Amino acid sequence: MASCSNPPEANNGAGQPQEYPVYAVQNSQATLLASYPASLEGEQNVEIRPKVDGYISQIYVDEGATVKKGQLLFKIDAPQYQQEVITANASIKSAEAEVNAAKLQVANITPLVKKEIVTGTALQNAQYNLQAKEAQLAQARATLANAKTNIGYTTIVSPAAGVVGKLPNKPGSLVSPSSPVPLTTVSNIQKIYAYFSFDEKQFLEFSAKYPGKSISEKIKQLPAVSLVLSDGMVYPEKGRIETVNGLIDNQTGSVSFRATFPNPLGTLRSGGSATLQIPVSIASALLLPQKATFEVQGRKMVYVVNEKGMVKGKEVQVMDLFAGNDYVVKDGLKAGDRVVTDGMGNLKDSVTIKPVPVTNGSAH
């Protein structure tokens, strides 16, 4: 019972060698996941701002509510525009009366000119006066239309379907078109854009790897991409990389890409962050189980087992990309090398063990 409760100890010269799981690294086809930090934005983010001065009298939605296009959001109390309507209506009536008087004057002078009782100049002056009065009437009607438009601006509706953001103002707050903070933001999140970047070297490698005469043609060759959320969960919907910025950022030396993900349940929200993963296929990769490695002063090490069962620590270099639970070895190992996959804390150089072959972490 005591021996079963303790980890196996390697043979140090006395007794039989202890068994340790050993994995033979081999070249094989692998799909790696290249990871990039991504920022999330809705398909459409619309700032809702007032077009007139006034006080908020009603707020018809709450933060996080889903709204339809044309749905009522806010009501602004602006009595000055109602007064403008009253004033404009009065101006129209006055202008209409003046136009009618001017028309009557033209009508009275016209026959007198034909009879040469008055000169044509008097008729021209009457006609000019009529035109001026008609212009004043048109101006009064335009003032009324503008006043009615301003009254229409006191009722604010959503210009798009989406989700309501923060509501910084409360009923009674004074707002104006010059207010620095919008009334709210409506985000259309039926689709979510994930923005990420390649550095210049990665961009050149991408351009060389994928076929196509243009960047847009190369993008079409990219596989579907995944999104890892901030809680570590993989978003269930796959996305596609659709666009790439045409310029390299002079300050960061990076090129911005945009991937689009469907968002039918509204799980993703604008302003969020995630990790975008692009699968990269490699025809021949030397795979090493992550659990077979350990760290020594910042170096990644493994215990290699020789033909006699003796172990020796060896540093390995691995790629930044992962193939599931495996590393891809760049240097330090070759195909056929055997490494210990468990219990490395009980080992040291020159210890002899009894290797137990495993495949993908499982014993034969």
Side-chain angles (χ1 to χ4, degrees):
M1 291 176 62
S3 64
C4 291
S5 62
N6 294 323
E9 294 184 359
N11 178 40
N12 291 314
Q16 295 297 320
Q18 296 294 322
E19 293 184 349
Y20 278 81
V22 173
Y23 175 75
V25 295
Q26 299 293 335
N27 283 307
S28 62
Q29 190 277 336
T31 299
L32 312 183
L33 294 176
S35 300
Y36 304 90
S39 58
L40 307 181
E41 291 186 14
E43 184 180 10
Q44 187 179 19
N45 294 323
V46 183
E47 289 187 346
I48 308 300
R49 293 182 177 273
K51 294 185 178 181
V52 293
D53 298 328
Y55 294 90
I56 296 178
S57 61
Q58 292 288 335
I59 300 177
Y60 297 98
V61 293
D62 200 356
E63 295 177 352
T66 300
V67 296
K68 299 178 181 179
K69 183 177 180 180
Q71 183 173 334
L72 186 61
L73 302 179
F74 302 93
K75 181 68 176 179
I76 296 178
D77 183 17
Q80 66 271 27
Y81 300 115
Q82 186 62 49
Q83 186 59 47
E84 287 182 1
V85 170
I86 295 173
T87 302
N89 278 322
S91 297
I92 288 175
K93 290 181 180 179
S94 176
E96 287 175 341
E98 291 183 0
V99 167
N100 290 333
K103 288 181 178 179
L104 183 59
Q105 185 180 15
V106 171
N108 291 336
I109 293 177
T110 299
L112 297 178
V113 172
K114 292 180 179 180
K115 296 178 180 179
E116 298 183 353
I117 298 175
V118 298
T119 63
T121 302
L123 178 59
Q124 287 181 343
N125 289 336
Q127 290 172 337
Y128 291 150
N129 181 60
L130 173 59
Q131 292 175 0
K133 298 303 180 182
E134 289 174 339
Q136 291 176 3
L137 175 59
Q139 184 176 3
R141 286 172 174 166
T143 301
L144 176 61
N146 186 60
K148 288 182 177 180
T149 298
N150 286 334
I151 287 180
Y153 289 150
T154 62
T155 300
I156 300 176
V157 299
S158 178
V163 177
V164 177
K166 185 178 179 180
L167 297 172
N169 299 291
K170 300 297 182 283
S173 300
L174 176 63
V175 294
S176 72
S178 61
S179 298
V181 179
L183 298 177
T184 190
T185 301
V186 174
S187 299
N188 182 348
I189 57 173
Q190 292 180 346
K191 293 182 180 179
I192 286 289
Y193 295 146
Y195 291 92
F196 66 100
S197 298
F198 281 179
D199 60 32
E200 189 171 357
K201 179 182 177 181
Q202 291 169 330
F203 180 70
L204 293 175
E205 290 174 350
F206 154 75
S207 299
K209 180 176 180 179
Y210 292 97
K213 296 180 180 179
S214 64
I215 294 298
S216 60
E217 290 182 0
K218 293 177 182 292
I219 287 177
K220 292 178 181 179
Q221 305 301 319
L222 287 170
V225 295
S226 303
L227 206 60
V228 180
L229 307 182
S230 57
D231 62 356
M233 299 297 292
V234 178
Y235 182 62
E237 301 284 348
K238 295 290 186 180
R240 303 291 306 187
I241 298 175
E242 294 181 341
T243 64
V244 56
N245 194 319
L247 299 176
I248 296 177
D249 191 306
N250 291 331
Q251 296 181 346
T252 63
S254 61
V255 182
S256 178
F257 284 73
R258 189 190 79 194
T260 302
F261 289 83
N263 191 29
L265 300 180
T267 306
L268 306 179
R269 296 298 176 100
S270 290
S273 60
T275 299
L276 186 136
Q277 293 183 331
I278 304 176
V280 179
S281 295
I282 297 181
S284 180
L286 191 62
L287 300 183
L288 171 68
Q290 295 183 36
K291 67 177 184 178
T293 65
F294 59 96
E295 298 282 339
V296 176
Q297 297 180 345
R299 298 181 301 163
K300 199 172 294 296
M301 306 288 293
V302 296
Y303 276 117
V304 178
V305 185
N306 65 15
E307 295 82 358
K308 297 180 179 180
M310 185 177 294
V311 301
K312 181 178 181 181
K314 191 172 186 180
E315 182 180 2
V316 293
Q317 304 289 333
V318 299
M319 298 178 64
D320 294 333
L321 308 181
F322 299 94
N325 294 320
D326 295 334
Y327 288 121
V328 177
V329 178
K330 293 195 298 184
D331 192 27
L333 293 174
K334 64 182 184 298
D337 284 346
R338 299 184 300 167
V339 296
V340 179
T341 62
D342 196 12
M344 287 83 73
N346 301 316
L347 294 176
K348 59 183 179 180
D349 283 359
S350 301
V351 169
T352 300
I353 66 171
K354 182 179 180 180
V356 178
V358 297
T359 301
N360 296 331
S362 302
H364 286 304

